[in-house]
Amino acid sequence: MDTTDSPSKWVVIAGFAVLAVLATAGTVLVLGGSVQELLYGLVGGVVTAGVVLGVYAFGSRRGQPHSHAVASAAVAFGTLFLIALVYRLLTEFGA
């Protein structure tokens, strides 16, 4: 598999980022969130996408097969999800 930085690779990454931002904005607006919650959601989405794409890129550039790099990115996403869930539960219901 060619790992060079081709234009089609960057189109896919940009498309993923746009879809992530639109999904976040749509979810917050449908649920009736304020502008502040929308900004929190967008920042959280950008950080999450950056971490997941960064883990995938780091793994694939370090010689991991595609499947291992995807698995590493999925573990990173799951870890971020669990951190967000625990934070939400602790702030909502107390410790």
Side-chain angles (χ1 to χ4, degrees):
M1 180 172 198
D2 187 21
T3 59
T4 59
D5 293 332
S6 64
S8 63
K9 181 178 180 180
W10 292 109
V11 170
V12 170
I13 291 173
F16 174 74
V18 169
L19 285 176
V21 168
L22 289 176
T24 302
T27 302
V28 171
L29 292 176
V30 166
L31 294 176
S34 65
V35 174
Q36 184 179 10
E37 290 172 339
L38 179 62
L39 291 176
Y40 287 153
L42 291 176
V43 169
V46 167
V47 168
T48 301
V51 168
V52 170
L53 289 173
V55 167
Y56 172 77
F58 183 76
S60 64
R61 287 192 178 143
R62 292 290 180 178
Q64 284 184 342
H66 174 72
S67 59
H68 291 197
V70 169
S72 298
V75 168
F77 179 75
T79 303
L80 289 175
F81 180 76
L82 288 177
I83 289 170
L85 179 68
V86 168
Y87 175 77
R88 173 67 184 218
L89 289 173
L90 288 176
T91 57
E92 185 80 19
F93 299 109

